[in-house]
Structure formats: C-alpha cells, structure tokens
Amino acid sequence: MRIAIGQIWQETNTFNPLATTRADFEAFGIVSGPGLIEQMQHTNELGGFIQAIRKWPIAVEILGIARFPAWPSGPASESTFDWLARAFMEHLEPLLPLDAVLLALHGAMSADGHADVEGEILERVRQKIGLSIPLVATLDLHANITQRMARNADALVLYHTAPHIDVFETGVRGAELLRRILLENAQPRLAFVKVPAVYPVERANTQAPTGISHELKIRLEELEQRPGVLTAGIATVQPWLDIPDLGSATLVVTDGQVELADSLARELADTLWSRRREYLSDLVPLDQAVARARQQTHGLVVLSDPADATTSGAPGDSVWLLEELLKYDWPRPVLTTVVAAPIVAEAERLGIDQRFQGTIGGVRDTRFGKSIPIDARVAGLFDARFVLNGHLGRNLSIDMGRSAVLEIGPVKVIVTARSGPHFAPELFQAAGFDPYAASVVVAKSPCGFRAVYERQAAEIISVSAPGCAPPEFWHYPYSRIPRPLWPWDEFEWYP
C-alpha cells in the first residue's frame, strides 16, 4: 500500500503589510521526498502520520510529497502562490499511483487572488488522484473551513486544543481515520455548518478547568468515542482575515451515517452560536497593565501582547509596551522581543558592550506601529535556534536567525532577525535568560503562551495595544467579509 503525505503550513493575517514570499518558506525549511520522512518522523502532524501508519498491521510505503512551511505573516503574493501550488503538484505527480493522500494543512492561508489557498490545493490534489482515492487533511482549529475544502476532502481532522498542544496527536487521529477507510471500509460522510461568527482568541483556552472552550473540547472528545463517528471538530477561525468567506464552522464525519453527521454538526453549531459572548475578552490598557505588573513584587508577570502576536501573523516589531516598561525600575529582568534584522546587523557591527543609539520598532508594522529612541548596551549576540515543544510544536526546529540582546537597565530586548514564536521560553533561554525568574515576560501571543507560563506565572495580563492582530478586531476596517457577521452585527441565526 502506498500513502503519500505532505504539508503546507502558513497562517495569514491580511492586516500585516508584509507579504509572505518564497523566501519565507525557504527560510523555515522546505523538504521533500525521503528527506521529509526522515526529518519529520517525530515532529508535529507529519510525525503523527508516520508513527501511526507504521503501527498498521499491513506493510505501507509512506511517501513524502513535500513540506512547505512559513511563519504566520501577511498574504502570500500571487507569484508565491503560483510557485507553491505548482511545486507541490510537481512533487506529487511522480508518486502516482497512490492508495491514499494524507495532508497537514493550516486552513487559514490566503494569497493575492486566492482567498482559499487550502481549498484550491485540495481541489488540485483531488483532480490529480481522482475521486476514488481517499484524501484526508488535518487543520488548525483556527482554520477558515470552506465548501471547496469540504467538497474535495473525504475528511478534515481538526486540532482540539488551544493552546495547540495536540498537533502530533491530531496527526495520529488523521492517520487513524484513514486506516478505518482503507482497512475497515469506512465510508466517510462529512457535514459542516458555517457559523456566521468570528471568535476572539484570548478566551479560547481549552486547558482552562471551566468555560465554553473547555466544555466544547470535552464534547468533541466524547463524540469521537461514539460508534459511527470518525471525527468531530470546531473551527473558531483566524480573525484577522479580510476575505469573502470568513466564518467559524463545526464539522462531523461519520461512517456512512449522513443524518447523524448533519445533526451533530448542527448541535455543535447551535452551542457555539448561543454561547458566543462567553468568548469576549477582558483587556487592560497598556499603561494600567504595566503599572499593575510593577506592583507585583514576587513572581513572574506575563504581559500578553496579542495585537503584535507573531503566532497570529503580526509583524513582531511593536514597541508600545516597551515604551511603557522603560518608565519603571524593575527588581528583576524584564524580557521583551522585537523583530528587526537591521538592528541585529548593527549590533553585530558594534560588538558586545558597545552602545546602540537609534530607534526601534514601527519598521515592519507600518500600519499600527511606532518608533521610539533608545540608548542601549549590546549585551549579547546569539543564534536564535532551538527546538520548540508545547504550543505549536513537538520536536519542531525553529531558526529565527542571528539575534541580539539590547540592555536598557533591567529591560532586556531580544531582537531577532526573523519572526517566530516570540513567547517561547526556549527563545529567552537561547538569549541567556531564565524567563521564569524574570519580573516580566512580554509574550507576543494571545493564548498559546499559557501552555508554558500558566503554572509558573504569579499573574497574567492581556494588554490592549495597537497592532495587526487586535483582540477587538471588529473595530478594524474590514471590507470583504460577509455580512451579517458577529460580532460586527447583532442578528438571529439558526444552524
């Protein structure tokens, strides 16, 4: 039996003015063929695919198509999409004929002229392999699920957790569903309901002991244990997508039971809609948030800067919080981050212990950012390379390029050449700091950072500041989204 696996992973934020290009995929690391199997066999969805298939009771040849990953950012250019789609299909064609295709996608990638990248990729793969070959794809729970995606896939399998700590396990679930199709003759019947709502991310914490997100996660797990249900999922969508088909979705795939799939998808949609207000966030203005953090004399305070969350596709060079942090003296280090390749290059030119005098911030984010002057000591130079485990990754290699530490008294600014997980303890550790011993860590993440800081922090504060990924996104200028759509509009709706 021959099964091909592959990945296209990028989450788009259409408010980010920086286009995603071929170079962004190449910088993260493209791999294909046998190299994909070797490099990814213990990592994320692809690793879940590989490890699960290797346990099947029959011999399976696992074939690598290609892996095209890029860190969340702005929309891909049209030329980037053309290259990506063409290259992926060129890697697939020599592998034919196949018994099945298993893909790891994000589900919220957009490009100029191609609002539904994953839908178009699935359609092209379907056209190439034919209608009789099973095609299964995994998705982030912030996917924007479309009719095109559902029409071309036999099944779509979503993460159940936010923070995303079940990425590898979702790969296992996708492979298990495919096993049931191939070895047990399961007949997948997919139903999904498009819910006209977009949900803030800050309260989507499925790991919390109570709350709507936790309850829905438990319900999905219960449904997947039910006889006849192959998978169930809820996609609360990436909010910062100004595209025509934006909206959340519920999805259920059953073994041949069309009415069951339909009724369960409607039940989930009804719950998601009726309890939508429970997702609304409590945010603290940045001046009040920093003042509150300074009052915490013992333990770590994590300031979540969701509007500049690099995990949400923001540029990562906001300094609104940095400017406020510099107004205070702190008993222990304050750790924050900025993406600024030119500043790293200048720090390298100056050398350790030299003074960096200039401006920082507002270069990548030309829409909502600002620049501020700083006079800092170059306190460190390092390669921001590490292995990410926890939110977003299991054994996931990260390379954010050459990086620098700029020291302004107790405030340590970790400046990276490239974007990446600007919340990760591994990043701060690579810079030479223990984030758990700091006075403050600024996490450029709306929710995922909780996976690594929730138990360690004395206090976590979600901050309201300008940026490309604001929690109160409905106040921003969207022009292409469908209407009515909550929370922009108040209206009645039934699934």
Side-chain angles (χ1 to χ4, degrees):
M1 184 172 285
R2 292 163 54 83
I3 299 175
I5 68 173
Q7 182 174 44
I8 296 175
W9 185 83
Q10 195 267 353
E11 182 179 68
T12 298
N13 181 319
T14 57
F15 290 105
N16 186 334
L18 301 171
T20 296
T21 67
R22 177 173 177 170
D24 294 310
F25 287 91
E26 293 171 341
F28 204 115
I30 298 169
V31 63
S32 62
L36 181 152
I37 308 300
E38 176 62 28
Q39 291 186 29
M40 302 302 296
Q41 61 182 314
H42 300 294
T43 300
N44 283 16
E45 301 100 304
L46 293 171
F49 295 165
I50 295 165
Q51 297 304 321
I53 293 172
R54 284 176 174 172
K55 295 177 181 178
W56 289 8
I58 64 168
V60 177
E61 184 179 8
I62 308 174
L63 303 163
I65 305 171
R67 175 179 183 249
F68 289 89
W71 196 257
S73 188
S77 63
E78 188 161 12
S79 62
T80 299
F81 171 82
D82 291 342
W83 158 77
L84 178 67
R86 182 179 66 254
F88 194 80
M89 298 309 297
E90 287 174 351
H91 285 293
L92 172 65
E93 288 182 23
L95 306 181
L96 301 175
L98 294 163
D99 294 287
V101 175
L102 191 52
L103 300 180
L105 306 175
H106 184 285
M109 181 177 177
S110 184
D112 294 341
H114 304 271
D116 179 17
V117 168
E118 286 88 351
E120 191 159 344
I121 293 295
L122 286 167
E123 185 173 83
R124 294 189 185 199
V125 172
R126 174 59 73 198
Q127 290 171 350
K128 184 61 61 176
I129 66 176
L131 294 175
S132 63
I133 302 301
L135 171 57
V136 174
T138 59
L139 299 172
D140 191 299
L141 63 74
H142 293 113
N144 185 59
I145 299 177
T146 64
Q147 288 278 1
R148 196 178 199 180
M149 293 162 66
R151 184 172 62 245
N152 286 287
D154 291 279
L156 300 169
V157 181
L158 278 68
Y159 301 169
H160 284 336
T161 66
H164 304 323
I165 58 173
D166 66 336
V167 180
F168 182 93
E169 290 76 9
T170 301
V172 172
R173 290 168 49 232
E176 170 60 15
L177 192 153
L178 181 61
R179 183 194 65 80
R180 294 176 68 176
I181 295 173
L182 292 172
L183 303 189
E184 298 179 2
N185 198 35
Q187 302 296 309
R189 297 293 180 262
L190 185 155
F192 90 100
V193 177
K194 193 76 173 178
V195 180
V198 178
Y199 294 85
V201 180
E202 286 67 30
R203 284 197 174 172
N205 182 10
T206 60
Q207 306 312 109
T210 60
I212 178 63
S213 295
H214 174 77
E215 292 174 31
L216 287 172
K217 170 181 172 287
I218 297 300
R219 178 59 176 153
L220 294 174
E221 292 172 344
E222 291 172 351
L223 289 178
E224 291 191 337
Q225 297 301 312
R226 181 170 175 171
V229 175
L230 299 176
T231 190
I234 293 174
T236 51
V237 81
Q238 206 280 66
W240 307 283
L241 279 171
D242 189 9
I243 58 174
D245 200 22
L246 183 67
S248 299
T250 60
L251 178 146
V252 176
V253 181
T254 60
D255 182 3
Q257 301 181 58
V258 176
E259 292 183 0
L260 178 62
D262 183 70
S263 66
L264 292 177
R266 289 174 185 271
E267 172 206 308
L268 292 170
D270 184 65
T271 301
L272 187 63
W273 172 259
S274 64
R275 299 182 64 181
R276 61 195 180 279
R277 299 184 197 285
E278 295 179 42
Y279 281 88
L280 294 175
S281 309
D282 292 323
L283 302 172
V284 180
L286 65 91
D287 57 341
Q288 295 177 29
V290 174
R292 200 162 105 190
R294 184 60 186 86
Q295 292 171 4
Q296 182 67 251
T297 56
H298 301 287
L300 168 67
V301 177
V302 178
L303 296 177
S304 167
D305 185 6
D308 196 40
T310 49
T311 52
S312 303
D317 70 339
S318 171
V319 292
W320 292 94
L321 259 176
L322 172 61
E323 182 179 47
E324 198 67 27
L325 290 163
L326 291 173
K327 296 177 181 179
Y328 293 83
D329 188 23
W330 300 91
R332 299 182 309 283
V334 170
L335 306 178
T336 187
T337 62
V338 169
V339 184
I343 290 179
V344 175
E346 177 63 10
E348 289 247 76
R349 188 191 69 79
L350 290 169
I352 299 291
D353 287 332
Q354 299 305 304
R355 305 301 300 181
F356 173 89
Q357 296 176 315
T359 59
I360 190 169
V363 174
R364 290 165 58 86
D365 183 358
T366 54
R367 292 181 176 175
F368 309 105
K370 67 183 295 187
S371 297
I372 63 171
I374 60 168
D375 182 350
R377 181 177 76 92
V378 179
L381 296 165
F382 68 103
D383 293 316
R385 294 176 184 162
F386 50 89
V387 175
L388 184 67
N389 283 288
H391 175 57
L392 293 178
R394 176 187 288 194
N395 303 316
L396 181 63
S397 294
I398 297 293
D399 184 352
M400 297 163 70
R402 196 69 177 148
S403 301
V405 179
L406 299 184
E407 181 181 270
I408 313 166
V411 177
K412 322 296 180 180
V413 186
I414 289 81
V415 187
T416 62
R418 292 198 291 269
S419 186
H422 278 77
F423 69 89
E426 295 93 339
L427 171 61
F428 299 116
Q429 289 160 358
F433 299 101
D434 177 2
Y436 303 116
S439 282
V440 172
V441 164
V442 175
K444 294 194 172 183
S445 162
C447 179
F449 71 93
R450 292 179 180 274
V452 287
Y453 293 110
E454 189 92 67
R455 296 179 181 178
Q456 305 278 353
E459 187 173 13
I460 292 175
I461 305 171
S462 291
V463 180
S464 175
C468 290
E472 295 177 325
F473 47 83
W474 54 95
H475 297 309
Y476 274 39
Y478 290 72
S479 61
R480 303 177 67 200
I481 57 175
R483 305 294 287 268
L485 186 66
W486 187 85
W488 288 267
D489 307 298
E490 291 292 347
F491 55 100
E492 290 189 0
W493 177 82
Y494 304 93

